[in-house]
Amino acid sequence: MRAALALVALGEARLGVTYETDAKSEPKVSIVATFPTNSHPPIRYPMAAIKGQTTETSVALLTFLKSPTAAQIFARHGFSVLEP
């Protein structure tokens, strides 16, 4: 996905397929079309603590990622936030 975005941004390709959030982060490209949301399974980024590998830092990160502040940041960058 990032390679397609880079090629379009460099002018090496007229069109490319990438994630909407990636396209929005690249000022040299514009979105000309999107796939209907019902044309593919939802794109999700799961997270979990791994038993026996939990650290204070990993717990702090997971706690932050579930916070209203993180939800606002995700939304501002075009991500939908699911209820935990």
Side-chain angles (χ1 to χ4, degrees):
M1 295 288 184
R2 286 290 186 156
L5 180 63
L7 289 171
V8 174
L10 291 169
E12 299 293 325
R14 291 184 61 221
L15 299 170
V17 176
T18 191
Y19 295 112
E20 181 178 3
T21 50
D22 289 348
K24 287 180 176 179
S25 72
E26 174 51 69
K28 294 180 182 177
V29 304
S30 58
I31 298 170
V32 297
T34 59
F35 291 100
T37 55
N38 64 353
S39 68
H40 57 84
I43 300 165
R44 297 185 180 190
Y45 298 92
M47 63 179 194
I50 299 171
K51 185 177 180 178
Q53 300 297 315
T54 304
T55 66
E56 187 176 318
T57 303
S58 66
V59 171
L61 175 61
L62 288 173
T63 300
F64 173 73
L65 291 174
K66 294 188 277 185
S67 73
T69 300
Q72 290 173 351
I73 293 168
F74 287 132
R76 186 169 62 240
H77 291 280
F79 290 91
S80 299
V81 179
L82 302 175
E83 294 297 316

